[in-house]
Amino acid sequence: MRIIFGLLLILGLPWVASARHIKGGEINYQYIGPGSTANSERYQVTLRLFLECGASGNQLDAEANIGVFRNSDEIAVSGSPFSFPLTGDEFINLSAPNPCINNPSPVCYRLRTYSREIELTKTDLGYTFVFQRCCRINGLVNLSPNTNVGSSYTCKMGGTDVLGVGSNSSPAFAIKDTVLICQYRPFTLDFSATDTNGDSLSYEFCDAYTALQNGQGGAITPVPPSQIGFVNYSGGFDGTTPMGAGVRIDPKTGLISGIAPGGGDYVISVCVKEWRNGKVLSEHRKDFNLKVDQFCDLAAASLAPNITNCDNYLQFFQNEAPPSTLTHTYFWDFGVPGLNSDTSTQSAPNYTYADTGTYNIKLIINRGEQCSDSATTQVRIYPGFFPKMNVQGACIQTPYTYSDLSTARYGVINSWNWNFGDETSADDVSSKKNDSWLYTTVGFKNVILTVSSSKGCTATIDTTIEVKLKPIVNLGFRDTLICSIDTLQLVINGPGNYQWTPAYNIINPGIANPLVYPKSTTTYYVAMNDRGCINNDSVKIRVVDEVTLSAGPDTTICLTDTIRLNPSTDGLKFSWTPTATLLNPTSKNPFAFPSSTTTYSLLASIGKCSKQDEVTIKTVPYPFSNAGADTVICYDDTAQLHANIKGIRFTWTPISSISGANTLHPIAYPLTTTVYNLLVYDTLGCPKPGVDQVKVTVRPKILAFAGNDTSVVIGQPLQLNASGADLYSWSPALYLSNSSIPNPIALLSENQTYILKAFTEEGCFALDTIRVKLFKTGPDIFVPNAFVPSGKNRVLRPIPVGIAQFEFFRVYNRMGQLVFQSSNPSYGWDGTIGGYLQGSGTYVWVAGGIDYTGKKILRKGTAILVR
């Protein structure tokens, strides 16, 4: 019989030959007939290896070594391991992809089959077949590490203790065409098997086997079953959920279904057990890699199973399959019997049911199209389900009791699951409606209750309780003061039974809040019992016969100041008068702000006892201080201050820039704006000085600039540009368009020197000059024809005449090399390059600029450097 394993999904990536090529495998056996010796049987044993389509070279074994071990003692039978020849080699491709899948990737795998006949002696417990090899493909999503992982394939055959008489063959897996699964999309995968003996089969996910590597990258000598290790799964995966919690296998049909995880290769191991008369005859373990395509897309319908609404009649629906561009239309039927209008074409509709009940819901996407899909589910509408719990307990000394107070309008509450949150025990759970639990540790415990009804309503609620070593005696106070003629009520807030002692002057000592009237200081003790939890505490009642009170000594403050009153008293209640100039007159220490001399009266009370006293606060005005008017001075100038006072002494601050600080008319000479304080003292009672300020504002230093000395040609206008202040004056005014602006135009007929006065409104000023030389030629640039660096004419410098903008001055040697350049006519060449002296000789210069009419001026010439 030819069995084709058609469940491997390939993404169509390039195939690379390597030792890591295994994508799955299985071993099965078929009974042939009696053996050649008594008590023996012959079996056809077959190994199927599933490889990448690109496998080649040493990846393709010519034969396979399979070990056979007795289940009774795991000893290999004689001749084990057996050499199995290659009996089949074929490529399997997905010949007809689903037309409703968009962008499908190619699906291909290589199936190599090894088979031979083996004769085995009958035993009570049977045998296990084992094949091991390196290595699985790399990059397996659900394994960690996911590279260089070995693989082992086994098949367990039962013995005569379960078979009795007769023979048996292992189940044969039904072969379907190859399947393409798209990531995050719903899928079903038929993994069923048939049994020629008519035995029943069960299916389950199980841990995949690994294999210890022998360093050769090929076949491995088989080891007994108990020595085979398991692969390590990555986070979120294990042998029972190899593709995550969203994928399951039906234990009766072998159908794998769910929502596919993200794209990639996943190791899946399925154990198929064969049952006869309630006993397992064989266990057939099949290991394979399932490829999930991350590029393909398909339209799918998927609904959450068994929706239950226990809140109201309004139910929201949505397609649980991920969105797809291939989904064009939606059709919902909300399952109301006898009603045709309970439909919707929205993608995520809601529907309000008229009554309670269980309704069959159906979703059809792309209705009437080739690529249509549908899904069904049930929705239960039973509002009026309210979970609630009650927890009673006081401390670690007694058990806490738990009661379910949940209610259901429809059906009955029929399921409870408690978790009492005891971190020291795994038994702190209960399925009773009401139960109790005794904790052994103190602290906060998270109690969880999951409750369900007969209508399918389920809810989980939780609460946090504090388990104490002892119950808290929540006293209102522990120490207080009363007068000997008073009666006081003791205060405890909280549940429990109480007993107060001693019985001295107490009314109702067996309640939480008795009345006491001791005539001397007494400590009352209370014993508390809260549901079997015991604790004790006490209250001290200090008793006095009268109130002690001193309102404090009379004092003097400066007028407009505030003072805090500070009486000496054992009073508990206070009343100050008059209240108009007090903040909080019922405070023991109020703030007072009298506007004149005031006597304050204090009434201090302890219960019915009270006493009164007074304190006088005298107010005296601050000493008079007048530092004079603010003034403005020029930079590096002085100002004379003029102050007057009423007092016996005074002080100026700061004194670092004052001359004559011991007088009322000192000289101030600050370089920056400064505020001077005048502090005046007297002996009239105000303990603080009177303070006034005077501000001396210093104008910034004026930096007058008339411009650099220059030259013009006759008939050429010269634009002057001054800076440094707000106001300007030029003198003499001769030849100027306006002598009171910063930028007048001069039209000269002779050499001229102008004096610039830059000044402010306060009269601060500074002077600068500019010399203008007049040439009776046109605009030009003059350069000397020789210079002597060691003599008087030490620098070769241009002299621009009538040039508004000087652009450049360049000097070249006889080789045409640039030895100097500048755009500032004030700079010239000193006969060096990089600090090295240049030799005597003739040098070429070039200069350029623009005159005041905008005309470019270019001059060239030579100059001789003389050493």
Side-chain angles (χ1 to χ4, degrees):
M1 180 176 64
R2 187 171 70 94
I3 298 178
I4 302 175
F5 183 72
L7 305 178
L8 304 183
L9 311 179
I10 310 300
L11 280 178
L13 300 177
W15 297 305
V16 179
S18 69
R20 301 170 181 86
H21 60 287
I22 302 294
K23 294 182 69 68
E26 62 158 332
I27 301 174
N28 62 42
Y29 62 89
Q30 299 295 316
Y31 175 75
I32 298 176
S36 60
T37 61
N39 200 35
S40 66
E41 295 175 319
R42 290 180 297 115
Y43 293 92
Q44 188 72 25
V45 180
T46 301
L47 165 68
R48 293 178 176 85
L49 279 182
F50 309 102
L51 315 177
E52 290 185 315
C53 281
S56 62
N58 63 0
Q59 300 171 345
L60 305 178
D61 300 324
E63 59 183 25
N65 292 326
I66 297 179
V68 182
F69 301 89
R70 295 198 302 254
N71 292 332
S72 58
D73 53 15
E74 292 197 336
I75 294 177
V77 301
S78 176
S80 178
F82 297 92
S83 177
F84 279 59
L86 178 68
T87 57
D89 188 5
E90 59 183 315
F91 290 89
I92 308 297
N93 292 276
L94 179 60
S95 57
N98 188 335
C100 295
I101 295 180
N102 187 32
N103 193 31
S105 297
V107 176
C108 176
Y109 60 89
R110 187 171 186 172
L111 172 60
R112 288 172 67 85
T113 305
Y114 303 84
S115 183
R116 66 167 285 176
E117 180 181 312
I118 294 180
E119 186 171 310
L120 298 173
T121 301
K122 292 182 179 180
T123 65
D124 291 341
L125 299 180
Y127 301 91
T128 295
F129 305 98
V130 178
F131 172 77
Q132 296 184 289
R133 199 191 194 287
C134 173
C135 294
R136 300 177 186 271
I137 63 172
N138 285 341
L140 295 164
V141 175
N142 59 346
L143 298 190
S144 179
N146 61 3
T147 58
N148 200 31
V149 180
S151 54
S152 299
Y153 308 107
T154 68
C155 181
K156 183 177 181 181
M157 172 194 294
T160 57
D161 63 337
V162 293
L163 183 61
V165 296
S167 62
N168 184 58
S169 298
S170 63
F173 281 90
I175 302 306
K176 306 294 181 183
D177 193 7
T178 49
V179 179
L180 184 66
I181 297 177
C182 301
Q183 66 176 356
Y184 309 129
R185 298 296 189 269
F187 75 96
T188 57
L189 193 61
D190 188 353
F191 202 69
S192 61
T194 58
D195 186 71
T196 56
N197 307 111
D199 298 318
S200 61
L201 305 176
S202 65
Y203 307 84
E204 62 182 304
F205 287 135
C206 50
D207 288 330
Y209 285 137
T210 185
L212 297 177
Q213 308 303 308
N214 63 0
Q216 303 302 316
I220 301 171
T221 302
V223 298
S226 64
Q227 298 181 25
I228 303 175
F230 296 101
V231 298
N232 292 317
Y233 289 91
S234 56
F237 304 99
D238 57 36
T240 60
T241 56
M243 299 182 73
V247 177
R248 61 181 296 273
I249 185 170
D250 190 307
K252 295 181 179 179
T253 66
L255 188 68
I256 299 175
S257 62
I259 304 296
D265 288 282
Y266 294 81
V267 172
I268 294 178
S269 182
V270 175
C271 292
V272 181
K273 294 180 180 179
E274 180 185 12
W275 300 78
R276 184 183 300 176
N277 299 324
K279 296 181 179 180
V280 177
L281 294 180
S282 70
E283 180 177 320
H284 186 166
R285 177 183 290 261
K286 193 164 198 176
D287 178 305
F288 64 100
N289 290 357
L290 187 63
K291 173 75 79 173
V292 178
D293 194 331
Q294 62 179 322
F295 302 112
C296 67
D297 187 19
L298 76 159
S302 178
L303 296 175
N306 300 325
I307 303 169
T308 303
N309 187 338
C310 301
D311 298 323
N312 50 51
Y313 293 93
L314 177 63
Q315 180 62 45
F316 293 87
F317 298 93
Q318 67 177 9
N319 187 4
E320 299 298 330
S324 171
T325 57
L326 302 177
T327 302
H328 308 134
T329 63
Y330 297 83
F331 179 81
W332 295 85
D333 187 333
F334 301 122
V336 180
L339 189 64
N340 295 325
S341 61
D342 61 330
T343 61
S344 175
T345 58
Q346 298 179 10
S347 60
N350 61 73
Y351 186 77
T352 302
Y353 289 90
D355 198 359
T356 60
T358 300
Y359 301 91
N360 295 317
I361 312 302
K362 185 171 185 178
L363 166 63
I364 304 175
I365 62 169
N366 300 337
R367 187 184 186 193
E369 300 180 24
Q370 177 188 7
C371 298
S372 180
D373 194 21
S374 64
T376 60
T377 190
Q378 284 190 333
V379 60
R380 298 181 178 90
I381 305 295
Y382 294 105
F385 181 70
F386 303 103
K388 185 178 181 181
M389 74 168 82
N390 177 260
V391 182
Q392 295 290 328
C395 70
I396 201 172
Q397 302 168 14
T398 58
Y400 277 65
T401 60
Y402 299 91
S403 304
D404 172 47
L405 304 181
S406 304
T407 59
R409 184 180 302 173
Y410 302 99
V412 296
I413 307 295
N414 61 0
S415 175
W416 303 268
N417 286 290
W418 292 92
N419 186 316
F420 302 129
D422 189 340
E423 73 281 2
T424 67
S425 174
D427 298 326
D428 61 331
V429 294
S430 173
S431 58
K432 298 179 181 179
K433 178 179 181 180
N434 305 314
D435 210 335
S436 63
W437 183 260
L438 179 63
Y439 293 94
T440 58
T441 58
V442 299
F444 290 94
K445 316 294 181 180
N446 188 36
V447 180
I448 302 173
L449 170 62
T450 299
V451 60
S452 303
S453 75
S454 59
K455 295 298 185 181
C457 296
T458 298
T460 299
I461 56 176
D462 65 84
T463 187
T464 299
I465 63 171
E466 183 180 7
V467 178
K468 303 181 180 68
L469 185 63
K470 296 180 180 181
I472 295 177
V473 183
N474 194 10
L475 291 168
F477 50 86
R478 285 183 170 79
D479 192 344
T480 191
L481 181 67
I482 66 170
C483 191
S484 58
I485 61 175
D486 288 338
T487 297
L488 175 68
Q489 186 171 36
L490 304 180
V491 178
I492 295 182
N493 299 309
N497 299 316
Y498 301 90
Q499 183 63 47
W500 293 88
T501 57
Y504 167 65
N505 288 4
I506 185 171
I507 301 173
N508 294 329
I511 65 174
N513 304 311
L515 297 174
V516 295
Y517 51 96
K519 301 305 177 184
S520 61
T521 296
T522 303
T523 298
Y524 289 93
Y525 299 90
V526 61
M528 173 190 182
N529 187 326
D530 183 8
R531 291 160 287 187
C533 293
I534 307 300
N535 201 2
N536 298 279
D537 212 332
S538 63
V539 175
K540 183 177 182 180
I541 311 298
R542 293 179 290 114
V543 181
V544 296
D545 294 322
E546 63 176 355
V547 179
T548 61
L549 173 63
S550 172
D554 296 341
T555 189
T556 300
I557 66 172
C558 298
L559 186 63
T560 71
D561 277 3
T562 298
I563 185 173
R564 187 168 190 174
L565 305 181
N566 189 26
S568 175
T569 178
D570 59 1
L572 301 177
K573 186 178 179 181
F574 309 94
S575 176
W576 290 88
T577 56
T579 62
T581 55
L582 291 173
L583 291 176
N584 194 5
T586 60
S587 169
K588 179 181 179 182
N589 305 104
F591 286 97
F593 47 95
S595 57
S596 62
T597 298
T598 303
T599 298
Y600 293 99
S601 176
L602 171 61
L603 179 66
S605 304
I606 301 175
K608 298 176 181 178
C609 300
S610 62
K611 183 173 286 188
Q612 192 165 359
D613 196 17
E614 296 179 342
V615 61
T616 298
I617 306 301
K618 182 180 179 181
T619 59
V620 177
Y622 274 91
F624 176 76
S625 173
N626 183 358
D630 294 343
T631 187
V632 178
I633 65 173
C634 300
Y635 179 80
D636 205 20
D637 201 353
T638 63
Q640 186 165 25
L641 307 182
H642 300 282
N644 62 85
I645 66 170
K646 291 182 181 179
I648 62 170
R649 62 186 179 91
F650 63 88
T651 300
W652 288 97
T653 63
I655 63 173
S656 59
S657 57
I658 281 186
S659 175
N662 59 343
T663 72
L664 293 176
H665 306 284
I667 301 297
Y669 49 91
L671 294 179
T672 59
T673 297
T674 303
V675 174
Y676 295 96
N677 300 288
L678 177 61
L679 288 70
V680 180
Y681 301 85
D682 63 21
T683 57
L684 300 180
C686 176
K688 299 179 182 178
V691 181
D692 193 29
Q693 295 179 332
V694 59
K695 182 178 181 180
V696 179
T697 300
V698 180
R699 292 300 184 199
K701 184 178 181 179
I702 297 176
L703 300 175
F705 181 62
N708 295 321
D709 293 346
T710 188
S711 59
V712 296
V713 297
I714 191 167
Q716 186 179 57
L718 173 64
Q719 177 84 57
L720 301 177
N721 285 288
S723 62
D726 298 327
L727 303 173
Y728 301 91
S729 176
W730 296 87
S731 63
L734 189 64
Y735 307 121
L736 297 179
S737 61
N738 189 333
S739 62
S740 300
I741 62 175
N743 51 353
I745 296 176
L747 191 59
L748 303 178
S749 61
E750 59 182 338
N751 294 342
Q752 185 66 51
T753 298
Y754 288 105
I755 300 175
L756 170 69
K757 180 180 180 182
F759 60 98
T760 67
E761 292 181 351
E762 295 81 13
C764 304
F765 71 92
L767 302 175
D768 192 27
T769 61
I770 181 173
R771 295 176 179 83
V772 183
K773 186 175 182 180
L774 182 68
F775 288 84
K776 296 183 179 181
T777 65
D780 208 341
I781 301 174
F782 300 101
V783 177
N785 57 11
F787 71 108
V788 183
S790 60
K792 183 176 181 180
N793 188 17
R794 301 170 61 183
V795 176
L796 183 65
R797 179 184 295 115
I799 303 173
V801 176
I803 301 300
Q805 180 180 347
F806 186 80
E807 293 187 319
F808 62 87
F809 175 62
R810 302 187 184 109
V811 181
Y812 299 86
N813 62 18
R814 287 175 295 179
M815 305 299 295
Q817 296 172 324
L818 179 68
V819 297
F820 175 80
Q821 67 175 345
S822 174
S823 60
N824 189 335
S826 299
Y827 300 146
W829 185 41
D830 63 357
T832 66
I833 299 179
Y836 293 96
L837 298 177
Q838 300 302 297
S840 299
T842 301
Y843 291 82
V844 178
W845 58 264
V846 180
I850 302 174
D851 69 10
Y852 285 93
T853 65
K855 180 182 177 182
K856 284 187 173 292
I857 304 297
L858 181 64
R859 297 290 183 264
K860 298 181 180 179
T862 60
I864 298 175
L865 187 158
V866 179
R867 291 291 183 187

